[in-house]
Amino acid sequence: MIEQTWDDVIDFMAVAKELLPEGATYSSCVGCGLCASGCPASGLFGMDPRRFINMAVQGLNEELSSTPWVWACTQCKRCAYVCPMGIDVSLLVGVARGGWPKEDKPKGIVRSCEAQMLDKSTSAMGLRSEDFVEIVEETVAELRESDARFAQINAPIDKVGAKFVVNQNSREPAVEPEEMAPMWKIFDYVGADWTYASKGWAAENFCMFTGDDAAWKEMVKTRVDAINDLDCEVWINTECGHSFYTLWKGVERFGLKADFETASLVSYYAQWIREGRLPVNADWNVNNLKFTVQDPCQLVRKSIGDPVADDLRFVMKALVGEDNFIDMQPSRSANYCCGGGGGFLQAGMAAERRAYGKRKFDQILATDADYVLTPCHNCHSQIDDIGTHFGGAYNVAHIWTLICLSLGILGADERKYLGPELAKINLPSTP
Amino acid sequence: MSNSGARVLETEVLVIGGGVTGAGVMRDLALRGVNCLLIDRRDLNAGASGGNHGLLHSGGRYAAADAETAAECRREGELLKQLAPECIDDCGGMFVAVDGDDEGFAQRFPDHCKTAGIPCEVLTPAEARQREPALPETVITAFAVPDATIDPFRLALENVSHAQHLNGSDFLPHISVEAFDISGGIIKTVQCRDLRSGDLVQIRAQQVVNASGAWALKIARLAGCSDVNLLYSKGTLLISNSRISNGVINRLRLPGDGDILVPGGTVSLLGTSSVTISDPDDFRPTVGEVDRIIQEGAQMLPVLNDTRFIRAFSGVRPLLMASGAADDGRKASRGFVLFDHEDQGLANFATIAGGKLTTFRLMAEKTVDLVARRLANTVPCKTATEPLPSGDAIRWTQPGLAARDWFQRADPTDLILCECEMVARSTVDKIVKSAPGAEDHMSLKAIAGRSRIGKGACQGAFCAMRVTSHLYDTGVYDSRDGLEQMRDFINERFRGVRPVSWGEQLPQMELAEILHCGLAGLDLPDRDETDGSS
C-alpha cells in the first residue's frame, strides 16, 4: 500500500496555514524558485526552501520532521523577503526544530541554551551574574589605571533610571574582557547615561535556536523583567544580531510587557556621529584600506530593516572614507546570511556550515576588501572562520574598534582583530 | 499512400484501446500464453482510464440503484487490494449526508449495502468529523465503507509491462485504426495509421478485441457492427494542490455533481459532473462545470471554498445504452457487456464496453475467455490469483514516490527536473529507456503519463522546459521536434488550468505565461510555419 502517515508527526501544511498569513501559506507557492536560488543552504542535505514547501504540500511530513537541513537553515528569512507571495519558510523550520527529540538536537545549541537557564545572567557561556559584575569591575579598574584619559570611566551595573540599559555578549567577559573597553570608551566619549543589568545582561539566545518556544520565552522574560526593573528609557542591543531579534520579536510573540524602547547600538553610533558627538573621520586610513560590511540578518532583514542598514553604511563611510567602503552584492535586507546564524556555528556541522559560508566568502572576495566589519558576534566568528578555511586574506573587526581607532582612543591591547598594518595607527599618546 | 510501403505486423490477438481494460486483456492473454499486440490511437490511459477519480469503489455508490454492479465492485476491489497493493491506497471511505439532504435515502443506505454485501459501519457525526476533520458541523448521517483509491496509470503500466515480459506481447502508441479488411466473416487485416510518422500499418491477427472505451462504438461501426450503442457522458474533475481528506468522502444522496472527494496520494480529486455529449473527441472542462462542482461539493465540505485547485480535467464515460433508455448518464448502467458480434456476421471480433475502472480485471477475464475459446486455448484465467509485478520504470506515477525516493537518496548529481513533484533526471531516463511505450523521440506527454511530471502546482511551467532541455542533452530529441513536444504538452496543461484560474492558481498561471510566452515565445508561430517572408 502507499505509505502515508497522518498522525504523530507535524502536519506542516496545517501548521503553515495556522502560522502564516492568508495568501502567504504554503498553498500559495508558485514554485518560482527565488527562495531556493537565493538560499545559501540550498543543496545541503538535498534540500532547499522550495523543496521544503513542495514536500509539505505533498504531505512528506516525516521527512520534513527528520531532515537535518532544519539545522543548516539559519532561519535568516531571505526566502521570505524575496518571495513574491511572501511565504516564510523559516517559521516552520523553527517548528521542525522544536519537534526533534532533545537528545537528537545538535548538542552545542542545546548545551548553550541549558547554560543560559542556569542563572538569571542568561549567559550561554555559563557566566553567572556575580562573575560578570566582578569581571566588569576588574576590567574598569585596569582601564582607569592604564589610560589617564579614562581615569574616571565607569561601567555602571543596575543603575536605576539611567537613559540606556545595554547588554553584553558573553564572549568578552568570559574570554577577552579588554574587548569590552572600546564600547565603554564610546559611551564615555559621548557622555551617555547608561548601565548594564546584572540579570539578563547576556547578548545571546540559543534557546530560540533549539526551537523550544518555552525556553525562548523564559530567556526573554528574564531579560525584559530585568530591564523593566531598571526603569530606563531605551534598551540598546550591543553589536550582536540575534540578541536583538530574540528580544524584539519575543516581546511581541509572547505578549510581554516591555517598558522601554528597543534600539541597536548601530543606530546610536550613527546618531552620535551625525550630532558631532563622535567626531570620527577617515584620516587614519592613509593607505586606503578597503572595507566592507556584513548586514546581520537578525538585525536588518528580520528586525529593523533597511534603516539600520543605512545607518551602518553611514557609520562605515564616516569611519573608513566613502571611497574605501565597498558594499557586497546583494546587501542590506537582501543580504545573504553568512552561515553563522541560527545556531549553525554551535551545531557541530562544520562542513555544511562552511559550504553554506562559501557564498559569503565569494561575495567578500568580490569586494576586494581588507576588512569585514559586522555588528554581530556570530557573523564575526563565521566570517573569520570561512576566511581562514577558504584562504581569504581579510580581517574581521567590530565597529567599536574602528570608532575608537578613528578617535585615537583605541589601546594597543584592543587591536587583536586588526592586522599589523593598523597596530600602531592612532595609538593614544601616553602622557 | 500505397500499401506497398506499409509496415506489416502479425500477432495472435490485436487489442484496440490502451486503457486499463485493453491493458488487462493484454495481460490476461499473455498469462494464457497468447501473444498479442495492444494499440492505442494516442497512448495508455488517454481516455476514461486516465480521466477519472482513481476511486476503487467499495460499491456503495451503486448500492441503491444497481446492486449487481455494486457487488461486482466490492469483489473486484477486494481482489485488487490483494493483487496490486502498490497501486492502491486503502484509505477507506465514508458516505455523508448534511443538513438538507434526503434523510430517508440516508436511512436506507445500510440496507442497500447489505443487499450488495458491502460492509457499512454507522458513524456518529462526531466520529465522522474525527476521522475527517474537514467535515462540517452540519453532518447528520455518516457511514464508513471500504472505499480505496487506485492509481490507474500505474495499473495500466503494470499490466502492459507484465505482458511484455511474459511472452513478448507488445504495445504501440499513436496507432489509429482506419479500416477492417473483412472477408468470409473474418477480419483478415486491420488497416492502421501511425499518427506520428503518417505511415500505414497493417496488422494481421487471428482475433481482434475492441476495448476502446468511449470509441468502442466508432470502432465497431468501422467493422460493420451496429450492435454497440453508447451514451457519452462527460465527467469533469478538479485536482487540489494538496490532500484534503484522509479517505474518500461521498455525498450520501443519489449521484450528483461534485459529490465525491477522493484522495490521490498527495492531492485530492473532486468531481464529477455528468454532461451528455455527442462526440467523445470534442470535450473539455468548462468554467460552468467547475463552479457547479465546487458549489455542490462545498455543501458537504466547506473547506473546498478556500481550496487551491491546480487543474480541471474531463473524461468521457462510455455508458451502455439499452434501447429505449432515457438519455441520462446518471441513470445508465455502470455494468459492462461483452459483444461477440457473431450475430453481426463476424467470427473473430469482440467488443468489451461499459463497466468501471474497478471492474476492469473482470471485464478482461470475460473477454479473454471468449477469445481463448475461439483460439481453442484452454489455459484458465490467472489474473484473479497472479499478483501484478511492479518495476523500476513503471512506478513513477505514484504521487509522492519521486519525492520520497529522491529524498532518501539525496544524490546531488541526480538533478531534479520537476521541482513540484521532485522528479529526478534518473527517473526520466528510466522511463525513456524501458517504460511500456518507450520509443525514440518519446513525447513529453508520454513521459508525463508515466511519471508525475507536470502534475504539480506549476502544471508544467518549469518542468516542461527542464525535461525538454534534458532530453535534448541526452539526445532523445535532436530536432525542432522536441520544441513541438514541449508546446503540445504546455497547451494540454493549459486546457486544464484555464477553468481553475482564480485565487492562488492565478499568479501561477501568470508566471507560466511569462515563462512560456514572454521568455520562450511559444505563442509565436515557428519560423518554418510562416511563409518564410519574415
Side-chain angles (χ1 to χ4, degrees):
Chain A
M1 303 287 158
I2 294 168
E3 283 170 30
Q4 195 96 41
T5 307
W6 289 87
D7 39 38
D8 294 339
V9 290
I10 298 163
D11 182 345
F12 283 87
M13 278 300 273
V15 179
K17 198 172 173 186
E18 188 188 319
L19 295 184
L20 301 178
E22 205 184 320
T25 66
Y26 284 5
S27 74
S28 310
C29 178
V30 294
C32 68
L34 279 178
C35 56
S37 59
C39 171
S42 281
L44 299 176
F45 303 103
M47 290 291 295
D48 64 47
R50 175 169 55 181
R51 269 174 210 163
F52 195 92
I53 293 173
N54 283 336
M55 286 169 68
V57 170
Q58 293 194 58
L60 270 64
N61 292 318
E62 284 165 46
E63 284 80 357
L64 289 181
S65 297
S66 63
T67 175
W69 185 76
V70 297
W71 302 101
C73 160
T74 59
Q75 299 181 271
C76 80
K77 286 192 197 271
R78 192 179 192 279
C79 53
Y81 180 76
V82 298
C83 175
M85 311 306 290
I87 303 169
D88 184 353
V89 176
S90 75
L91 215 54
L92 266 72
V93 166
V95 173
R97 286 183 174 199
W100 275 51
K102 194 176 174 188
E103 61 274 18
D104 295 339
K105 290 179 181 178
K107 290 184 177 48
I109 304 177
V110 171
R111 277 201 295 260
S112 293
C113 175
E114 282 169 352
Q116 287 184 257
M117 311 280 260
L118 285 177
D119 187 83
K120 290 284 183 194
S121 68
T122 67
S123 163
M125 295 177 85
L127 216 58
R128 310 179 81 87
S129 287
E130 56 266 34
D131 302 332
F132 177 65
V133 172
E134 197 181 313
I135 293 166
V136 168
E137 282 171 356
E138 275 174 19
T139 311
V140 168
E142 282 167 24
L143 178 58
R144 285 176 175 173
E145 219 163 282
S146 65
D147 191 339
R149 180 181 172 138
F150 295 106
Q152 303 298 320
I153 196 167
N154 259 318
I157 297 179
D158 294 335
K159 178 182 169 188
V160 177
K163 181 168 183 189
F164 305 116
V165 60
V166 181
N167 62 356
Q168 179 72 54
N169 191 281
S170 290
R171 187 162 96 193
E172 284 89 33
V175 180
E176 44 185 25
E178 68 281 3
E179 277 295 320
M180 293 191 285
M183 184 174 79
W184 300 345
K185 289 177 177 178
I186 293 167
F187 290 149
D188 185 78
Y189 203 100
V190 300
D193 176 18
W194 74 284
T195 181
Y196 283 127
S198 64
K199 292 175 188 169
W201 54 268
E204 61 266 350
N205 188 350
F206 291 90
C207 295
M208 176 175 72
F209 298 147
T210 64
D212 181 346
D213 270 14
W216 173 9
K217 181 181 174 181
E218 189 184 326
M219 277 309 96
V220 176
K221 178 139 190 354
T222 302
R223 291 173 186 176
V224 168
D225 288 347
I227 302 164
N228 283 343
D229 285 348
L230 291 177
D231 203 17
C232 300
E233 268 178 54
V234 183
W235 168 71
I236 295 184
N237 181 71
T238 184
E239 295 189 22
C240 178
H242 81 277
S243 66
F244 183 86
Y245 176 80
T246 185
L247 189 138
W248 172 83
K249 189 72 190 178
V251 165
E252 176 206 304
R253 182 168 172 142
F254 305 120
L256 302 176
K257 185 173 170 290
D259 304 328
F260 50 87
E261 279 175 43
T262 53
S264 165
L265 185 54
V266 173
S267 309
Y268 276 93
Y269 289 157
Q271 184 183 327
W272 292 330
I273 293 171
R274 285 193 188 100
E275 291 169 357
R277 293 162 72 186
L278 275 181
V280 296
N281 60 58
D283 295 350
W284 59 271
N285 193 5
V286 287
N287 291 323
N288 291 312
L289 293 168
K290 301 296 182 212
F291 287 74
T292 190
V293 74
Q294 165 68 0
D295 295 288
C297 313
Q298 303 270 9
L299 184 65
V300 177
R301 180 165 52 246
K302 290 179 72 172
S303 303
I304 302 174
D306 281 338
V308 74
D310 292 341
D311 281 346
L312 191 51
R313 278 153 186 78
F314 171 75
V315 171
M316 286 298 298
K317 288 173 184 172
L319 285 172
V320 305
E322 182 97 32
D323 295 342
N324 294 320
F325 174 74
I326 298 135
D327 230 333
M328 286 186 246
Q329 297 299 335
S331 62
R332 300 168 190 255
S333 288
N335 187 34
Y336 294 130
C337 170
C338 61
F344 210 177
L345 265 173
Q346 292 75 19
M349 302 157 79
E352 287 81 11
R353 174 174 54 76
R354 285 170 179 151
Y356 184 119
K358 183 63 165 50
R359 190 181 294 220
K360 179 56 59 186
F361 178 77
D362 291 340
Q363 242 191 326
I364 293 168
L365 234 56
T367 66
D368 227 4
D370 304 292
Y371 282 84
V372 181
L373 263 58
T374 179
C376 171
H377 279 60
N378 282 333
C379 296
H380 190 289
S381 299
Q382 165 75 350
I383 292 171
D384 189 56
D385 178 76
I386 54 175
T388 307
H389 182 77
F390 293 114
Y394 58 80
N395 290 295
V396 189
H398 300 295
I399 297 168
W400 59 52
T401 307
L402 265 284
I403 291 174
C404 289
L405 176 78
S406 171
L407 295 171
I409 56 173
L410 188 70
D413 61 341
E414 293 157 8
R415 300 184 181 221
K416 65 183 285 191
Y417 293 112
L418 300 180
E421 73 283 355
L422 293 178
K424 294 198 164 53
I425 301 283
N426 263 9
L427 271 176
S429 49
T430 32
Chain B
M1 192 178 293
S2 78
N3 288 4
S4 58
R7 273 157 72 199
V8 180
L9 303 172
E10 295 206 18
T11 180
E12 284 179 270
V13 180
L14 171 67
V15 183
I16 302 164
V20 284
T21 308
V25 168
M26 180 189 188
R27 175 171 179 257
D28 195 322
L29 284 165
L31 280 166
R32 300 191 207 201
V34 180
N35 181 274
C36 77
L37 177 62
L38 177 69
I39 61 170
D40 194 277
R41 195 170 55 120
R42 289 188 285 170
D43 197 0
L44 293 175
N45 285 14
S49 293
N52 61 72
H53 258 124
L55 174 54
L56 194 63
H57 279 282
S58 60
R61 174 87 163 165
Y62 306 111
D66 187 348
E68 197 184 333
T69 301
E72 253 168 31
C73 282
R74 177 186 58 76
R75 285 193 301 269
E76 286 298 310
E78 282 167 8
L79 261 183
L80 287 172
K81 286 176 191 176
Q82 300 299 315
L83 300 173
E86 68 285 347
C87 297
I88 291 168
D89 179 358
D90 197 4
C91 56
M94 213 185 268
F95 277 78
V96 174
V98 294
D99 278 346
D101 286 343
D102 178 355
E103 287 186 49
F105 181 83
Q107 295 313 321
R108 289 190 296 277
F109 184 76
D111 291 337
H112 292 311
C113 285
K114 201 172 171 191
T115 307
I118 300 161
C120 169
E121 180 195 345
V122 186
L123 301 175
T124 65
E127 286 168 336
R129 282 201 304 278
Q130 197 184 356
R131 289 191 192 191
E132 294 293 357
L135 286 172
E137 295 282 325
T138 53
V139 169
I140 51 172
T141 312
F143 301 100
V145 294
D147 280 341
T149 71
I150 188 159
D151 176 351
F153 294 95
R154 187 164 181 180
L155 189 64
L157 287 166
E158 288 191 354
N159 273 280
V160 173
S161 172
H162 194 199
Q164 288 176 322
H165 286 102
L166 281 167
N167 69 348
S169 291
D170 206 0
F171 163 66
L172 294 177
H174 50 75
I175 303 289
S176 175
V177 174
E178 295 196 329
F180 292 92
D181 295 345
I182 299 169
S183 77
I186 299 287
I187 297 172
K188 301 284 186 188
T189 306
V190 184
Q191 303 284 352
C192 302
R193 182 78 61 189
D194 182 332
L195 296 179
R196 197 171 73 159
S197 64
D199 293 345
L200 197 62
V201 181
Q202 296 179 331
I203 302 172
R204 291 178 194 145
Q206 295 167 44
Q207 291 286 325
V208 176
V209 173
N210 172 17
S212 55
W215 293 271
L217 184 154
K218 290 189 177 185
I219 294 289
R221 294 268 159 91
L222 272 183
C225 301
S226 57
D227 48 349
V228 179
N229 279 304
L230 294 179
L231 178 69
Y232 304 125
S233 165
K234 177 178 72 157
T236 290
L237 297 107
L238 311 181
I239 307 175
S240 62
N241 190 34
S242 56
R243 183 165 172 157
I244 298 166
S245 63
N246 297 327
V248 177
I249 304 181
N250 305 269
R251 185 87 170 264
L252 186 49
R253 64 176 187 189
L254 280 169
D257 287 353
D259 55 5
I260 312 183
L261 181 76
V262 179
T266 56
V267 299
S268 286
L269 293 90
L270 174 67
T272 65
S273 58
S274 180
V275 180
T276 302
I277 56 171
S278 57
D279 182 356
D281 285 306
D282 183 22
F283 65 91
R284 59 175 63 204
T286 65
V287 172
E289 283 176 287
V290 167
D291 288 350
R292 204 163 57 246
I293 288 167
I294 293 176
Q295 196 187 348
E296 290 285 320
Q299 293 171 11
M300 177 172 72
L301 290 158
V303 67
L304 296 172
N305 283 323
D306 307 314
T307 294
R308 176 178 176 182
F309 292 100
I310 57 174
R311 173 177 175 76
F313 66 96
S314 301
V316 176
R317 302 178 190 92
L319 300 174
L320 285 163
M321 198 154 60
S323 50
D327 207 20
D328 181 350
R330 292 279 185 214
K331 291 183 183 145
S333 167
R334 303 300 163 100
F336 64 85
V337 172
L338 175 65
F339 299 86
D340 64 16
H341 299 302
E342 281 162 21
D343 58 349
Q344 304 284 306
L346 282 178
N348 69 339
F349 187 51
T351 294
I352 178 76
K356 305 289 302 167
L357 170 60
T358 305
T359 56
F360 88 97
R361 192 211 60 83
L362 184 64
M363 293 163 70
E365 178 181 341
K366 298 294 179 202
T367 308
V368 178
D369 282 349
L370 169 68
V371 171
R373 208 161 50 238
R374 287 173 171 177
L375 291 171
N377 178 307
T378 54
V379 182
C381 174
K382 292 177 184 164
T383 57
T385 51
E386 184 92 8
L388 270 159
S390 187
D392 202 26
I394 57 174
R395 60 197 178 103
W396 301 104
T397 55
Q398 180 182 322
L401 177 76
R404 280 198 174 83
D405 172 75
W406 195 90
F407 184 82
Q408 270 160 23
R409 291 185 293 122
D411 173 3
T413 64
D414 191 11
L415 288 185
I416 284 183
L417 297 176
C418 160
E419 285 288 344
C420 301
E421 300 278 336
M422 293 174 68
V423 182
R425 209 156 59 173
S426 60
T427 298
V428 172
D429 292 342
K430 282 173 198 163
I431 289 167
V432 170
K433 188 163 170 263
S434 54
E439 57 184 344
D440 61 337
H441 299 90
M442 190 172 183
S443 76
L444 193 52
K445 224 188 273 183
I447 296 167
R450 287 153 179 78
S451 66
R452 294 287 297 172
I453 283 166
K455 309 282 199 299
C458 92
Q459 287 290 304
F462 289 89
C463 56
M465 293 166 132
R466 282 193 183 183
V467 176
T468 303
S469 304
H470 172 66
L471 294 171
Y472 273 111
D473 283 348
T474 51
V476 175
Y477 296 156
D478 52 15
S479 62
R480 296 194 60 83
D481 191 41
L483 289 173
E484 295 298 328
Q485 298 291 355
M486 184 169 93
R487 182 146 64 186
D488 278 358
F489 180 66
I490 288 167
N491 280 336
E492 186 260 338
R493 291 284 105 182
F494 177 69
R495 251 172 69 139
V497 179
R498 199 169 167 273
V500 297
S501 51
W502 72 85
E504 288 166 321
Q505 195 62 7
L506 192 59
Q508 185 76 71
M509 199 175 82
E510 286 177 354
L511 179 63
E513 188 190 357
I514 291 165
L515 288 170
H516 298 153
C517 303
L519 179 65
L522 291 171
D523 52 333
L524 305 172
D526 277 346
R527 188 161 302 172
D528 48 11
E529 283 173 12
T530 61
D531 59 5
S533 60
S534 58

